[in-house]
Amino acid sequence: MIAHTSAQLIIGPHTKGPAENIEVRCAGPWTVHGIAKLARQLEGLSWPEEGELVIDCSAISAFDTSGAWLLHRTLRALEKRGRPASIRGLRPGFNSLLELVMSCDVAAEAPPVVAPRLLTRLGQAAWSGLLGTTGFLSFVGESIITLLRSVAQPRRLRWRPILHNIQIAGFAALPITGLLSFLMGIVIAYQGADQLQRFGANIFIADLVGLAMLRELSPLLTAIIVAGRSGSAYTAQIGTMKVTEEIDALRTIGVAPQELLVLPKMLALIIALPLLTVYTDVTGVLGGMIMARSKLNVSFDAFLERLNEAIQFSSFWTGISKAPVFAIIIALVGCYRGFHVTGSAESVGKQTTMSVVQSIFLVIAIDAMFSVVFNWLEL
């Protein structure tokens, strides 16, 4: 016999016909009070290895969820050992509680994780990409509507945020964009110097540096730097505001987040990025001039004279015309990812990374499309 202050178990042989059954009689209240001692006694109980187990619960006077859980746990442990047991004599109300506990336990068991097949993963990726594309296009459409409404009513434009963003995204970016463009001009001139020197075409270094910087590298390099610098900042700012529920507060007081947060950033980049592109054109050509003088003995006057002959206005215009498009892409992608933050610091970091990657990808893709169009137009 195993005794308990408020409940007890009695185990012993009970012969019924030719087979011997092992009967366990549960008595007393099986409630939360004292259930810990009873659980320890059940764990230390030595169950017989032979004979059919029968648990007689007719003597249980009180039964709550704790008792039902303990009884169910014991039944499961016996099943795992290959010694299933049957219950007898449990009152209808107590039996209903036991069945409820058993059903909840089964529902709580997670099904085995099965890795989806290749076709399933492809379908999920395609569907996710389609949803992301439609969501971004909806965001672009909403931003354009906000822009048109503000242009129709200029008093709605918030000039202070626009000027602030021009200072942050434009003026503050002058050192890094100028330095990288200057170094890029040096690299292009250095790489082309050896090849031009072989054919005695030193002066054509001006054509190489000028066309490469003005048509392609300056707008592309500037857009990539601004995407990593300002686009990520837009995502982090709006994402943090969403985490702190400032976006919801703006909607509550009747202020449209698109008009306050997205439009000033987009207009500021549309103004700042072309100016930065002109600045990087100058610094890139300057780097090429210095390398041409030191490597090919091409003087500054000769370089500028040849540059004036080689560069047409269309070459300068093709580079500048890309900058506003790149600015719109960077601003919209950065703000769109900021609005997709789900409410945690981890989500802010994830969306910021996605913002930079997607902005740079779209900038390069649009630049390739510009190249195809300009070639078709013979510009």
Side-chain angles (χ1 to χ4, degrees), residues 164-174 176-177 222-238 265 268-269 272-273 276 327 330-335 352 355-356 359:
H164 175 72
N165 281 283
I166 291 176
Q167 179 185 1
I168 298 300
F171 182 77
L174 289 176
I176 183 65
T177 54
T222 305
I224 290 175
I225 294 173
V226 171
R229 185 180 178 276
S230 300
S232 60
Y234 295 163
T235 304
Q237 177 191 1
I238 296 177
K265 293 177 173 57
L269 273 189
L273 199 57
L276 283 175
I330 294 169
L332 290 180
V333 171
C335 295
T352 301
S355 168
V356 175
S359 296

Side-chain angles (χ1 to χ4, degrees), residues 12-24 48 50-54 83 86 88:
H14 174 71
T15 304
K16 182 179 181 182
E20 185 180 73
N21 294 342
I22 306 300
E23 183 180 276
V24 179
E50 297 180 356
E52 182 181 353
L53 291 177
V54 178
R83 299 283 292 140
S86 58
R88 185 178 64 191

